[in-house]
Amino acid sequence: MSLTSSVVDRVELLAQNHGKRLGYVAIAVLMFYLWAPIFVVTIMSFSPDAVLSFPPESLSLKWYGVLLNDPAAISAIMTSLKVSVVVTPATVVLATLISYAIDRYDFRSESILKLLVTLPLIIPLIVVGIALTMFFGLLGVGSGYWPIVIGHTVEALPFATLIILPTLTSFDSKLEEASMDLGANEFETFVQVTLPNIFPGIFAGGLMAFTISFNEFVLTYFLKGSILNTLPTWIWAKLRHRATPEVNAASVFFLLVAILLILTAVSLTHVDRIAVQEE
């Protein structure tokens, strides 16, 4: 017992004296682990050679030109954008309505609604992909653009809801009561008072939905059919045959899109309000 106490005391002393430094070291190691492969891929995308090597002997934009002049790549990028621009508003509307219902009303099936919304977070995507493929097959819909849109919306919905719901929870409902006391009905209050105040959460939820849809591979692979390709499935097809720096260039494009979306969200909204519960 005394030996255990001695060990605990030493650990507490170590944490007290060097905890901050150890924390910084852990963060540095984690960031290196996450970003080192991305750095390697980025540098390799500037290699002029067709054979992947690191570090490259020289730097060139050759493969970015190949990517931009590849009709299949451009078609895949446009398909990803066409899917994402439909998935984003659909997800935002559904997530906002679900969040509003959960936060503002008490009803018997509330727990069931919460379960249904969070199920895509629990069930593996490959299982969801198989289930949706069978479901659309039974309906006679098959595969293609709209099955992909529905599948992406199902996947993105819980993420958008988990972002929008805290914004509604932290919003002061007394402002809604004041609006209705002044003669506005519930719909007018929601549009004129609630919606502008929860916009940061809605914007962030839309950003998350767009990012998830644009980068989604598993569901798309099951639902796209044999002709349609998004950028992730196009990259997968290229990797199956021959990996070239063109794939690395496409990966860098993915990274730039993600960074641009994050910077846009930070510059246009106060994202800290999403996670902070106002008192």
Side-chain angles (χ1 to χ4, degrees), residues 44-59:
M44 290 174 64
S45 70
F46 294 101
S47 172
D49 302 322
V51 179
L52 297 177
S53 61
F54 183 85
E57 295 181 358
S58 59
L59 300 179

Side-chain angles (χ1 to χ4, degrees), residues 80 83-84 125-126 148 151-152 155 210-222 230-233 254:
S80 292
V83 170
S84 298
L125 284 178
I126 189 170
I148 293 176
H152 286 196
E155 182 188 356
F210 184 93
T211 305
I212 290 174
S213 175
F214 192 81
N215 294 302
E216 174 51 39
F217 169 74
V218 177
L219 290 182
T220 308
Y221 186 79
F222 279 98
T230 61
L231 189 54
T233 59
F254 264 125

Side-chain angles (χ1 to χ4, degrees), residues 135-162:
F135 174 73
F136 289 125
L138 291 173
L139 293 180
V141 177
S143 56
Y145 175 80
W146 287 110
I148 293 176
V149 169
I150 295 174
H152 286 196
T153 303
V154 169
E155 182 188 356
L157 183 59
F159 293 95
T161 303
L162 291 175

Side-chain angles (χ1 to χ4, degrees), residues 255-277:
L255 179 63
L256 292 177
V257 169
I259 292 176
L260 178 62
L261 290 175
I262 292 172
L263 291 178
T264 303
V266 172
S267 63
L268 296 181
T269 65
H270 300 290
V271 293
D272 56 311
R273 291 180 55 188
I274 298 171
V276 176
Q277 177 71 34

Side-chain angles (χ1 to χ4, degrees), residues 124-136:
L125 284 178
I126 189 170
V127 176
V128 178
I130 294 173
L132 287 176
T133 302
M134 296 177 63
F135 174 73
F136 289 125

